[in-house]
Amino acid sequence: MRQMATYDLMETMRNTNEWLGATARAMASYPVFGLTSNPMFDMVEAWGRVTERSFARMVTKPAWGIRTVVGEDGKDHLVELETEMKRPFGDLVRFRVNGRREKSRRILLCAPMSGHYATLLRSTVASLLPDAELWITDWHNARDIPVSEGKFDIEDYTQYLVDFMKFLGPDTHVIAVCQPAPLALAATAMLAEEAPDAQPLTLTLIGGPIDPDAAATEVTDFGRRVTMGQLEHLAIQRVGFKHAGVGRQVYPGLLQLAGFISMNLDRHAQAFSDKIAAEARGEGSERDQHNRFYDEYLAVMDMTAEFYLSTVERIFKNGEIAKNEFVVNGKSVDIGKVTNVATMIVEGAKDDISAPGQCLAALDLLTGLPDAYKAQHLEPGAGHYGIFAGSSWRNNIRPLVFSFMDTHAERKSKATSKPAVTLAASND
């Protein structure tokens, strides 16, 4: 009950701030105040508008907002979202482009489960969709999942990826962004041993903590400083009475958001100060840069307690992936079993979340993979978000990833055609 009361207290505080913002906006925008020249009313109205919007967004899942894609014929083609595999903790969602000839590239985009929704990768999706058939892992907010659905930890997450890859088949290119990179690597290794014919064509890992100890960041330092007991005591709460997941232990999204903001408090404070001033001057707009960024940034979701704690303990503290000692459902996963899935590593030179070297460690673990199947790229001047969104991604990284995919798709196509010729010759 104590944990549930704390969870509901956070929601009460959020709800109260949203109400205060709405009240200030409504009160200060009465037409009668237009008779005065006091700018205070403009500032109060602006503060209320920004505050109401910001606190409301914290409990709202953002829309994808990708309505059309321009095809090779120069026409706009409508995009529809289809759920092709529905699971309690996450779905496999396809972005189907209507009226367009199907693309040869089939991409599974593994979205992180790290506090934000899969829509955090909206710009990544928009950049890939014109040139590929695209699926994404759409993880659910843990507060909306009944306790009766059971647990969900990193082993379950990995098994979900295995199932999604099997469903899509061996002609799929997998891209894992940030948090799922080590688990996507493990899932590929599981397929290499259990279902070799279902392995993806290529695997691209972008800024993920394969070996967190390879390069220290504030994230890895925190993981080393805090004990698991402290973490469970400070971060874990039970979902309150308002949601379907009442009683489920989670790492609340609102608590995660407080941590995100505290890492760059000065920058966020300045951004909101500038936004309020712009609104007071009448220069604000619904879809300006501030709102586009913070509508997504402030929208947070709860993670199951077991997923968060197992990630910290097994990936960051124990380094099970880095040591090739990861276990799923009691069975060891040997990354060295991967022998023919071309793997590309992408890192940002200024990444302060998953520093250069952490993701690159994957290539050393792939002992069974020929060097010709390995590739790496370090993007100069790019931070964490820049390697999967923004100009660095669009202009530099995306073309390299497509070229990598096409090269190894062609290589695999030629390799599979050779045995038939050899067999025919031997029969003669």
Side-chain angles (χ1 to χ4, degrees):
M1 288 296 293
R2 177 185 63 81
Q3 289 180 328
M4 294 173 71
T6 305
Y7 187 97
D8 280 344
L9 177 61
M10 287 196 307
E11 172 58 19
T12 299
M13 293 171 62
R14 184 210 62 79
N15 204 12
T16 301
N17 278 285
E18 182 184 350
W19 172 79
L20 287 172
T23 303
R25 176 191 53 76
M27 291 289 291
S29 61
Y30 280 139
V32 69
F33 294 136
L35 296 174
T36 71
S37 59
N38 194 329
M40 178 191 71
F41 295 110
D42 293 333
M43 289 297 294
V44 171
E45 181 187 356
W47 176 86
R49 185 181 298 111
V50 173
T51 300
E52 179 189 13
R53 183 191 185 100
S54 299
F55 282 93
R57 290 302 184 270
M58 294 177 187
V59 291
T60 304
K61 181 178 180 179
W64 281 100
I66 301 175
R67 299 175 182 272
T68 60
V69 165
V70 179
E72 295 176 354
D73 55 4
K75 299 179 181 178
D76 285 345
H77 295 264
L78 292 175
V79 177
E80 293 183 1
L81 270 66
E82 297 181 357
T83 300
E84 296 201 343
M85 283 189 73
K86 192 171 184 60
R87 294 290 182 84
F89 293 90
D91 301 333
L92 179 65
V93 174
R94 180 177 186 177
F95 294 86
R96 183 179 293 279
V97 181
N98 292 324
R100 183 184 74 175
R101 186 171 60 184
E102 188 160 320
K103 299 290 184 179
S104 59
R105 298 190 191 102
R106 294 165 52 87
I107 297 176
L108 169 62
L109 185 59
C110 301
M113 183 188 281
S114 54
H116 288 98
Y117 292 92
T119 51
L120 186 68
L121 300 182
R122 183 186 294 102
S123 62
T124 314
V125 170
S127 68
L128 294 172
L129 200 51
D131 301 293
E133 302 300 322
L134 187 65
W135 288 259
I136 195 167
T137 57
D138 189 18
W139 306 110
H140 299 165
N141 195 331
R143 73 182 181 198
D144 299 324
I145 306 171
V147 175
S148 58
E149 295 291 352
K151 71 172 182 68
F152 186 79
D153 58 14
I154 58 173
E155 293 187 25
D156 299 305
Y157 187 111
T158 306
Q159 188 61 57
Y160 268 46
L161 294 186
V162 169
D163 294 342
F164 292 159
M165 290 182 193
K166 284 182 178 179
F167 176 82
L168 292 176
D171 55 346
T172 305
H173 304 276
V174 176
I175 300 177
V177 178
C178 189
Q179 171 266 321
L183 304 183
L185 180 63
T188 304
M190 289 176 64
L191 286 174
E193 190 164 3
E194 299 173 4
D197 293 340
Q199 293 178 94
L201 277 171
T202 66
L203 175 65
T204 302
L205 307 178
I206 301 178
I210 305 297
D211 182 4
D213 291 333
T217 64
E218 188 174 337
V219 176
T220 59
D221 289 344
F222 174 80
R224 281 192 286 265
R225 286 196 313 267
V226 181
T227 67
M228 294 306 300
Q230 290 173 323
L231 201 60
E232 186 170 0
H233 177 73
L234 294 172
I236 303 305
Q237 297 173 9
R238 289 188 184 274
V239 176
F241 295 98
K242 183 180 177 181
H243 305 287
V246 55
R248 178 180 290 281
Q249 286 193 310
V250 297
Y251 179 24
L254 293 178
L255 199 58
Q256 296 173 59
L257 181 60
F260 297 154
I261 291 177
S262 67
M263 293 176 65
N264 295 285
L265 184 58
D266 292 343
R267 186 192 308 171
H268 292 299
Q270 187 62 51
F272 277 93
S273 177
D274 293 343
K275 174 61 176 173
I276 293 170
E279 290 284 344
R281 294 192 302 267
E283 298 172 359
S285 66
E286 176 68 17
R287 293 295 294 165
D288 59 19
Q289 185 176 358
H290 177 96
N291 284 343
R292 286 200 307 272
F293 175 78
Y294 280 102
D295 282 356
E296 191 70 53
Y297 187 81
L298 296 175
V300 287
M301 56 185 286
D302 297 353
M303 281 189 279
T304 64
E306 56 271 16
F307 178 82
Y308 175 64
L309 295 175
S310 61
T311 297
V312 174
E313 183 173 24
R314 300 179 62 178
I315 302 298
F316 285 88
K317 285 184 174 293
N318 298 342
E320 292 185 17
I321 295 291
K323 298 174 183 176
N324 199 19
E325 297 175 353
F326 192 55
V327 175
V328 175
N329 298 326
K331 187 173 182 179
S332 296
V333 177
D334 185 2
I335 297 172
K337 296 286 187 180
V338 178
T339 58
N340 65 348
V341 179
T343 303
M344 181 177 187
I345 307 299
V346 177
E347 296 180 317
K350 293 186 177 180
D351 191 339
D352 58 354
I353 295 179
S354 184
Q358 290 189 15
C359 196
L360 188 62
L363 297 185
D364 292 332
L365 295 172
L366 292 164
T367 54
L369 192 66
D371 289 342
Y373 288 28
K374 300 177 181 180
Q376 63 186 80
H377 175 71
L378 179 66
E379 181 65 17
H384 187 68
Y385 292 99
I387 54 179
F388 62 86
S391 59
S392 290
W393 162 259
R394 290 193 306 271
N395 299 332
N396 302 331
I397 300 172
R398 174 182 169 276
L400 289 175
V401 171
F402 275 162
S403 176
F404 175 77
M405 291 177 178
D406 295 343
T407 297
H408 289 281
E410 184 180 357
R411 177 265 307 167
K412 195 164 187 177
S413 177
K414 290 180 178 179
T416 54
S417 65
K418 287 180 180 179
V421 174
T422 304
L423 182 61
S426 62
N427 287 337
D428 290 342

